[in-house]
């Protein structure tokens, strides 16, 4: 098994790279498209992707907390 520090560093790097890619695509692909009802506003194409990505990260964080707390509870109540 890998060293936990190296594993957590690799996970951090992967998450940062994915985040940079998602937000770069958001800003660079169709960001300045005018909103159909009021052209003074923008209607970026990849807004749904960013919202789904944020929800996915939130879900993963909640799952990590639950898994960590269940492991802690198993060790504590043994």
């Amino acid at each position: 098994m890998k060293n936990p520090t190296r594993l957590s560093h690799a996970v951090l790097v992967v998450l940062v790279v994915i985040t940079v890619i998602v937000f770069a695509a958001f800003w660079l692909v169709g960001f300045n498209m005018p909103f159909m009802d009021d052209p003074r506003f923008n209607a970026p194409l990849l807004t749904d992707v960013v919202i789904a990505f944020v929800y996915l990260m939130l879900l993963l964080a909640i799952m990590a907390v639950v898994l960590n707390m269940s492991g802690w509870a198993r060790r504590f109540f043994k």
Side-chain angles (χ1 to χ4, degrees):
M1 185 169 152
K2 285 186 175 182
N3 184 359
T5 305
R6 289 184 61 195
L7 182 62
S8 66
H9 184 266
V11 169
L12 175 66
V13 168
V14 168
L15 288 177
V16 167
V17 167
I18 292 172
T19 303
V20 167
I21 289 171
V22 167
F23 281 100
F26 175 73
W27 282 99
L28 297 175
V29 177
F31 181 75
N32 290 325
M33 287 192 56
F35 185 56
M36 291 180 85
D37 292 338
D38 189 356
R40 294 179 296 165
F41 297 110
N42 284 349
L45 286 177
L46 299 178
T47 303
D48 296 338
V49 174
V50 173
I51 291 172
F53 179 71
V54 169
Y55 281 142
L56 177 67
M57 290 294 111
L58 179 64
L59 180 67
L60 290 175
I62 291 171
M63 286 175 38
V65 168
V66 168
L67 288 173
N68 189 20
M69 292 302 290
S70 66
W72 175 83
R74 262 185 275 150
R75 279 181 272 141
F76 183 74
F77 292 114
K78 217 173 197 186

